[in-house]
């Protein structure tokens, strides 16, 4: 299979893939696509299942202090990504839709001034139905947001109450309609295996979600994450057999209605896959700014992971007081970890990724993971393909087992 030409960092032309490093290992000869993640850390109320870096808003949102800190955070990172094109922006939280239309416009103007953002970049904003305003959504779109991800979770009032959500079913229905009028691309975040949920109730939720014919659905199994209220006081949820039946129902219903399950929890109509998340799963680069934001950045001789200070007040003080970096973590990924990190992401995709992308994104020969590949193929978890790294249906069903093969 013929591989495309890769333009290396020094501007010359080499064969695609990698070049030898000074220690006998390989180094990257080209950089992957770059995305930007922006974290807005505040919520009206913390949900009992949520383990994200979100904080209840006790008073008025400190928009200007936040935007000043965000700009300082970005300016500190600019030398790491200077000149690189940004293919997507994801504004997540927390609840980014708490931001006023003016504040979001300021944010996007600042990002465009500092970064080389593709004209057709995907710009996603997460929103909570309990904070949706029709006029504000139209203004978001006018500022450059072209994709809205709504945290619906369920259309059932009882389930929403059990999940601690601040919106009800009527607000959820209204929010979808408002979002669809504002932008062409809308994702609905839904959950299943909820407290007390029956198979019939799950089916009704999914049918309601599909009735809007949005281009994308994210369907997550409720999990009891450590350090959450649900972990400390777990509610009664469907057992493994019941939740497996719900997953089967979801897979069949979405496929019958035109959504392709292209990733473990992601379903899309043709041309509606999330570009930002695909870049994560394909081991692309992403710069994270905002409290607790994580990033992965590639250079010709190394790959680094970063994390910003989690506490919003501490993170903002670094800008307000001018007293230092926003970084809480900045480490080089050891070359022995790269195989596992790559496969941990790539195997989430139903189609997998080309074998050549392992070389291009890690700077290593495929021989670095050859023993694990052989074991996974022998167990029937990985397709025995010379061109593609792809889970079998069995491997996708037992993805943790498959990914675990690469921990060595």
């Amino acid at each position: 299979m013929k591989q495309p030409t890769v333009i290396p960092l020094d501007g010359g032309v080499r064969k695609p893939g990698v070049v030898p490093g000074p220690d006998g290992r390989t180094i990257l000869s080209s950089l992957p696509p770059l995305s930007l993640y922006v974290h807005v850390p505040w919520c009206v109320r913390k949900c009992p299942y949520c383990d994200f870096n979100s904080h209840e808003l006790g008073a008025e949102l400190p928009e200007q202090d936040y935007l000043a800190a965000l700009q300082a955070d970005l300016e500190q990172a600019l030398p790491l990504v200077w000149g690189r094109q940004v293919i997507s922006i994801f504004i997540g939280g927390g609840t980014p839709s708490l931001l006023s239309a003016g504040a979001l416009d300021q944010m996007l103007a600042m990002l465009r001034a500092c970064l080389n953002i593709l004209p057709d970049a995907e710009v996603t904003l997460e929103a909570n139905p309990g904070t949706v305003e029709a006029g504000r959504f139209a203004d978001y779109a006018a500022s450059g947001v072209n994709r809205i991800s709504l945290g619906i979770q369920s259309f059932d009032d009882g389930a929403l109450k059990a999940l601690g959500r601040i919106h009800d079913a009527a607000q959820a229905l209204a929010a979808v309609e408002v979002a669809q009028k504002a932008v062409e691309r809308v994702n609905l975040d839904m959950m299943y295996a909820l407290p007390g949920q029956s198979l019939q109730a799950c089916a009704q939720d999914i049918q309601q979600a599909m009735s809007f014919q949005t281009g994308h659905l994210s369907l997550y199994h409720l999990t009891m994450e450590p350090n959450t209220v649900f972990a400390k006081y777990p509610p009664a949820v469907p057992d493994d057999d019941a939740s497996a039946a719900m997953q089967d129902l979801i897979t069949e219903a979405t496929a019958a209605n035109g959504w392709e399950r292209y990733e473990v929890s992601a379903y899309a109509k043709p041309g509606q896959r999330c570009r930002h998340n695909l870049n994560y799963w394909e081991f692309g680069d992403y710069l994270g700014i905002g409290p607790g934001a994580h990033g992965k950045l590639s250079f010709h001789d190394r790959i680094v992971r970063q994390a910003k200070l989690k506490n919003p007040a501490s993170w903002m003080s670094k800008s307000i007081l001018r007293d230092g970096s926003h970084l809480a973590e900045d480490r080089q990924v050891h070359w022995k970890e790269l195989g596992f990190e790559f496969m941990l992401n790539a195997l989430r995709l139903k189609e997998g990724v080309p074998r050549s992308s392992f070389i291009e994104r890690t700077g290593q020969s495929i021989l670095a993971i050859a023993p694990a590949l052989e074991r996974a193929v022998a167990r029937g978890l990985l397709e025995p393909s010379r061109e593609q790294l792809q889970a079998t249906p069995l491997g996708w069903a037992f993805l943790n087992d498959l990914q675990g093969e690469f921990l060595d």
Side-chain angles (χ1 to χ4, degrees):
M1 181 177 179
K2 187 177 180 181
Q3 295 178 314
T5 301
V6 174
I7 305 301
L9 299 180
D10 62 7
V13 178
R14 294 194 190 104
K15 292 181 180 179
V18 298
V19 293
D23 59 356
R25 303 189 188 103
T26 51
I27 61 176
L28 298 175
S29 60
S30 62
L31 299 183
L34 175 67
S35 295
L36 174 71
Y37 175 77
V38 181
H39 193 70
V40 182
W42 295 284
C43 288
V44 174
R45 184 171 66 210
K46 181 84 170 179
C47 295
Y49 58 84
C50 177
D51 70 337
F52 295 151
N53 184 36
S54 58
H55 303 261
E56 289 191 8
L57 185 63
E60 186 177 350
L61 189 70
E63 287 187 334
Q64 292 308 311
D65 287 345
Y66 168 76
L67 290 172
L70 196 70
Q71 181 166 349
D73 190 347
L74 176 59
E75 288 175 351
Q76 289 171 9
L78 281 179
L80 304 177
V81 297
W82 193 253
R84 295 181 63 181
Q85 279 195 321
V86 175
I87 66 165
S88 65
I89 300 171
F90 196 101
I91 306 167
T95 307
S97 52
L98 287 172
L99 291 171
S100 67
L104 188 81
D105 190 62
Q106 282 183 258
M107 177 197 293
L108 291 175
M110 181 269 291
L111 297 179
R112 284 191 288 267
C114 294
L115 294 166
N116 181 16
I117 300 172
L118 281 177
D120 65 343
E122 177 188 88
V123 182
T124 300
L125 178 111
E126 284 189 331
N128 187 324
T131 63
V132 167
E133 296 177 14
R136 184 183 293 180
F137 268 38
D139 289 338
Y140 288 162
S143 296
V145 171
N146 53 33
R147 185 176 183 271
I148 290 175
S149 181
L150 283 172
I152 301 292
Q153 314 313 349
S154 176
F155 290 99
D156 179 84
D157 280 332
L160 290 170
K161 185 176 181 180
L163 290 172
R165 302 294 288 171
I166 66 169
H167 68 274
D168 58 23
Q171 288 174 308
L173 294 170
V176 182
E177 294 179 358
V178 169
Q180 287 183 302
K181 289 178 182 178
V183 296
E184 292 185 2
R185 300 184 64 195
V186 175
N187 170 62
L188 302 185
D189 261 355
M190 302 288 295
M191 298 174 71
Y192 66 96
L194 307 178
Q197 188 177 46
S198 66
L199 186 63
Q200 181 181 4
C202 176
Q204 290 172 344
D205 252 355
I206 300 308
Q207 289 299 326
Q208 183 73 74
M210 292 191 300
S211 70
F212 289 98
Q213 292 297 309
T214 60
H216 199 280
L217 299 171
S218 297
L219 303 170
Y220 300 103
H221 188 296
L222 174 64
T223 55
M224 305 300 158
E225 300 291 350
N227 303 314
T228 63
V229 174
F230 273 7
K232 189 173 182 179
Y233 305 104
V237 294
D239 61 24
D240 290 346
D241 289 341
S243 60
M246 292 178 187
Q247 177 64 79
D248 290 343
L249 179 152
I250 289 168
T251 302
E252 293 170 7
T254 50
N257 286 274
W259 281 272
E260 178 193 11
R261 187 185 182 194
Y262 70 99
E263 188 268 343
V264 172
S265 302
Y267 303 72
K269 291 288 183 70
Q272 293 284 319
R273 295 183 179 190
C274 178
R275 189 188 303 182
H276 186 88
N277 287 344
L278 271 174
N279 196 37
Y280 288 162
W281 298 321
E282 293 172 349
F283 214 54
D285 279 358
Y286 50 98
L287 174 65
I289 58 173
H294 287 251
K296 168 198 169 270
L297 297 173
S298 300
F299 302 89
H300 77 283
D301 60 347
R302 68 196 187 283
I303 294 174
V304 301
R305 288 201 176 275
Q306 296 183 331
K308 304 301 172 66
L309 292 165
K310 291 184 67 173
N311 182 274
S314 299
W315 173 82
M316 285 192 293
S317 75
K318 293 298 181 182
S319 298
I320 297 169
L321 303 177
R322 308 291 179 188
D323 64 350
S325 170
H326 293 80
L327 281 170
E329 178 185 359
D330 185 15
R331 69 177 183 88
Q332 181 175 338
V333 182
H334 195 280
W335 65 274
K336 291 183 178 180
E337 300 175 275
L338 285 173
F340 172 68
E341 289 208 6
F342 179 91
M343 299 300 284
L344 184 68
N345 288 279
L347 292 174
R348 292 182 63 91
L349 293 170
K350 187 174 184 180
E351 298 166 357
V353 296
R355 283 194 173 216
S356 58
S357 69
F358 178 84
I359 303 170
E360 293 162 4
R361 299 292 165 88
T362 68
Q364 296 183 5
S365 165
I366 198 72
L367 294 175
I369 56 170
L373 294 176
E374 292 172 3
R375 290 194 303 269
V377 169
R379 294 180 63 190
L381 302 176
L382 194 73
E383 296 288 356
S385 169
R386 292 182 177 273
E387 304 294 341
Q388 201 77 354
L389 295 169
Q390 180 183 12
T392 62
L394 179 66
W396 224 39
F398 295 94
L399 189 58
N400 287 343
D401 287 350
L402 173 55
Q403 292 166 331
E405 288 288 358
F406 298 90
L407 273 171
D408 290 342

